[in-house]
Amino acid sequence: MLIKTFGSAVQGVNAYTVTVEVSVSAGAKYFLVGLPDNAIKEGEQRIESALAQYGYRLKRQKTIINMAPADIRKEGAAYDLTIAMGMLAAGGQMAADKLSHYMIMGELSLDGSLRPIKGVLPIAIQARKEGFKGIILPARNANEAAIVNNLEVIGVENIKEAIDFLNDELDIQPVKVDTRDVFQSTANQYAADFSDVQGQENIKRALEIAAAGGHNVIMIGPPGAGKTMLAKRLPSILPPLSMHEALETTKIHSVAGKLGEVSSLLSTRPYRAPHHTISDVALVGGGGIPQPGEISLAHNGVLFLDELPEFKRTALEVMRQPLEERRVTISRAKTTLDFPANFMLIASMNPCPCGFYNHPEKECVCAPGLVQRYLNKVSGPLLDRIDLHVEVTPVTFDEMTATRKSEDSGTIRERVVRAREIQRERFNNFDNIHSNAMMPSQMVKEICQISDAGRTLLKTAMERLGLSARAYDRILKVSRTIADLADNEEIKIEHLAEAIQYRSLDRDGWAG
């Protein structure tokens, strides 16, 4: 007797259907073919023990299980339930009528309960795409799968519930989630708000410009000046996630297994802050079973790298291409996977090893040449991809104890959204450009035109401050964003002047 059940495998952030074919005949051997890994092979023991808890016994007969397509390696224990249903139906211990209507996934415990699995959202999307009536999966993954509409999501706690449901002996109501209601009720709910920050008005202004144009930022300042606190609040002033962005971001977190059991759709922009000891693979993605890295988990959000010079140089250098292309490509012998990585990079660093170079009150104790060597740990090509260099100074006692309420994130966000709307109209005819930071060089010349007075100012600034040639395009992009925030069609001289001051590390006396 031949029975077919259906599961799914995730490659990158997309899924493809796996057909599990179970054939039983006279004999006593068990064969599992179709390039399964060890976790799948060990599933025979888990399945046998789980079924025994509910009085089922697998018949001792020749069983051949094929996982098609047979030329692609299958990985993980999520096929336990798929295989178990096929074996029971092939042995005549349960009805097979409904098996072709549902995609079935789940990892079994020895007591028959089901453990949650990774990548449920792309699997559910694929199930709907292939015309399945529904998906049977662990109850703890049901909310995540229910994001996908027009698909019955049947959450089961154990293997007995799955058997009874397929036998029409148990009625399980499909899990339903009102995606738009959940999305709207939790949108823009951030724990941190800019109203908590006393002083630092110039840094808040720089971050507002960064958010309005999608620019990358590096903050340079002594320990305790508030760099981390400010970076943590940046997502709260970014434009709200669109439904498309939310689904895209949720898919990545689903594949990485980062969604909580009660979570369904991510409605706030992600904020990732990896430690400086992170490996290259953990930062950009990859591994034996390719998984998204921190830069992909920060997709549509913020990646914060604290103490930038302390990161391994190789880890920082592999970020250069993703920063330009806004995706990361993982290449293997048999396959190439793309993970999205459209994030805002916010970095922070001390100006020197002791932290007090250029400090208004404390004296730097670093030896001559040490400051330069410390700054040179961050390569020029990486700095070239960062538009704003901002010097952070410590907050004074008067500012800290001031009773005046700071501007909250909601107010700043309104200005940022208005500026983004202007950019959306400007780049309406370009598929891959959505903000000023994404403009290529040839477009900068067309869109960021300046007056003769502005050209003279820029030339003088580049000569007197020793600004490098790479700073030219960055200044024009940032000044275009400042003009958008002011709702001006033309880049005025004051917009250029403000943009010029955000190139600290290009000046003589800083990094060469």
Side-chain angles (χ1 to χ4, degrees):
M1 188 174 183
L2 177 65
I3 292 291
K4 291 184 180 181
T5 57
F6 300 91
S8 189
V10 177
Q11 275 197 335
V13 291
N14 298 309
Y16 64 90
T17 300
V18 174
T19 305
V20 176
E21 303 170 327
V22 183
S23 173
V24 295
S25 57
K29 288 195 174 180
Y30 174 88
F31 299 95
L32 181 58
V33 296
L35 286 184
D37 70 352
N38 284 335
I40 299 173
K41 290 174 183 174
E42 292 164 354
E44 184 188 0
Q45 281 71 42
R46 289 193 295 272
I47 292 166
E48 199 161 5
S49 173
L51 290 173
Q53 301 297 317
Y54 298 99
Y56 292 91
R57 292 285 183 272
L58 292 175
K59 295 180 181 178
R60 294 302 169 200
Q61 51 194 345
K62 183 179 178 183
T63 305
I64 301 172
I65 299 170
N66 176 44
M67 305 183 76
D71 61 334
I72 300 175
R73 188 158 183 79
K74 323 298 181 306
E75 291 156 334
Y79 300 99
D80 287 354
L81 192 60
T82 325
I83 294 170
M85 296 298 100
M87 291 174 75
L88 283 173
Q93 298 188 67
M94 65 171 279
D97 305 345
K98 294 168 72 173
L99 287 178
S100 61
H101 301 159
Y102 292 90
M103 191 172 274
I104 303 169
M105 294 294 287
E107 179 186 341
L108 284 168
S109 296
L110 294 183
D111 63 359
S113 61
L114 287 167
R115 296 177 180 275
I117 60 173
K118 291 182 182 180
V120 165
L121 182 54
I123 289 171
I125 291 169
Q126 182 67 13
R128 184 182 65 181
K129 184 179 174 183
E130 301 234 347
F132 285 94
K133 181 182 179 183
I135 180 170
I136 299 172
L137 76 175
R140 283 183 280 177
N141 291 123
N143 281 343
E144 186 183 333
I147 294 171
V148 181
N149 53 18
N150 300 323
L151 185 75
E152 281 189 15
V153 177
I154 308 298
V156 291
E157 295 285 351
N158 53 59
I159 192 170
K160 183 72 166 79
E161 287 185 9
I163 295 167
D164 290 347
F165 173 77
L166 291 167
N167 280 336
D168 283 329
E169 295 172 3
L170 178 65
D171 181 33
I172 300 176
Q173 290 301 311
V175 176
K176 294 190 183 298
V177 171
D178 188 337
T179 311
R180 294 202 174 274
D181 185 50
V182 171
F183 183 66
Q184 290 168 1
S185 64
T186 56
N188 298 324
Q189 289 187 1
Y190 295 94
D193 193 278
F194 267 100
S195 61
D196 307 328
V197 182
Q198 296 285 32
Q200 303 289 27
E201 298 304 325
N202 59 325
I203 317 301
K204 286 192 249 183
R205 169 67 177 170
L207 292 181
E208 180 182 337
I209 294 165
H215 302 289
N216 300 324
V217 184
I218 184 166
M219 295 184 284
I220 314 105
K227 302 185 292 292
T228 304
M229 179 183 68
L230 287 157
K232 198 173 285 186
R233 284 156 175 76
L234 181 61
S236 68
I237 63 169
L238 288 171
L241 280 172
S242 67
M243 185 61 80
H244 174 73
E245 287 176 327
L247 278 168
E248 206 175 31
T249 308
T250 306
K251 267 174 78 172
I252 298 167
H253 284 249
S254 173
V255 169
K258 301 291 184 185
L259 288 177
E261 290 176 15
V262 294
S263 298
S264 52
L265 191 67
L266 289 178
S267 55
T268 55
R269 294 194 178 269
Y271 172 83
R272 306 293 299 182
H275 193 259
H276 61 76
T277 54
I278 192 170
S279 68
D280 307 5
V281 170
L283 185 62
V284 298
I289 303 171
Q291 290 284 301
E294 288 290 335
I295 64 172
S296 294
L297 291 169
H299 181 60
N300 290 324
V302 173
L303 178 72
F304 177 51
L305 302 183
D306 197 9
E307 304 297 346
L308 190 67
E310 303 300 332
F311 281 79
K312 285 192 299 182
R313 194 178 184 94
T314 53
L316 295 179
E317 295 308 300
V318 291
M319 282 180 55
R320 281 159 51 179
Q321 187 180 9
L323 276 168
E324 287 290 320
E325 297 185 358
R326 301 184 183 273
R327 62 186 172 83
V328 60
T329 303
I330 310 294
S331 297
R332 293 289 179 266
K334 289 188 178 181
T335 185
T336 300
L337 302 175
D338 278 347
F339 289 111
N342 181 16
F343 59 92
M344 273 182 67
L345 173 65
I346 307 298
S348 76
M349 60 184 283
N350 293 331
C352 64
C354 80
F356 298 111
Y357 180 71
N358 274 359
H359 194 282
E361 296 167 7
K362 297 184 180 178
E363 191 175 338
C364 174
V365 295
C366 297
L370 201 60
V371 175
Q372 194 66 39
R373 280 203 301 276
Y374 183 75
L375 294 172
N376 286 342
K377 284 184 177 182
V378 183
S379 71
L382 182 64
L383 282 178
D384 189 26
R385 289 158 173 81
I386 299 177
D387 296 346
L388 285 85
H389 306 163
V390 188
E391 292 183 63
V392 184
T393 52
V395 181
T396 64
F397 180 79
D398 289 342
E399 286 175 324
M400 247 189 302
T401 54
T403 54
R404 184 176 63 87
K405 189 74 173 172
S406 297
E407 201 171 29
D408 64 25
S409 294
T411 308
I412 302 171
R413 191 190 312 120
E414 286 174 13
R415 295 197 294 267
V416 169
V417 169
R418 280 200 298 272
R420 286 284 183 114
E421 284 296 331
I422 293 169
Q423 292 164 56
R424 189 174 291 113
E425 289 176 19
R426 178 182 299 137
F427 305 122
N428 201 30
N429 298 324
F430 301 93
D431 290 337
N432 299 319
I433 302 174
H434 308 292
S435 63
N436 291 334
M438 295 181 175
M439 283 191 288
S441 294
Q442 61 270 27
M443 193 180 284
V444 171
K445 292 173 185 173
E446 296 170 20
I447 291 174
C448 303
Q449 295 186 358
I450 52 177
S451 63
D452 290 340
R455 200 171 287 108
T456 304
L457 172 67
L458 192 49
K459 181 183 177 184
T460 307
M462 292 188 76
E463 288 172 355
R464 287 191 182 175
L465 299 175
L467 296 178
S468 63
R470 69 175 178 244
Y472 179 76
D473 275 3
R474 305 289 168 185
I475 289 170
L476 288 178
K477 285 183 186 181
V478 172
S479 60
R480 179 65 265 171
T481 301
I482 296 168
D484 290 341
L485 277 167
D487 201 11
N488 289 134
E489 288 187 19
E490 295 179 3
I491 298 174
K492 296 185 177 178
I493 200 161
E494 59 265 29
H495 304 147
L496 267 173
E498 186 176 359
I500 289 165
Q501 72 172 350
Y502 296 129
R503 297 301 301 180
S504 298
L505 289 180
D506 281 322
R507 296 176 192 164
D508 290 336
W510 287 94

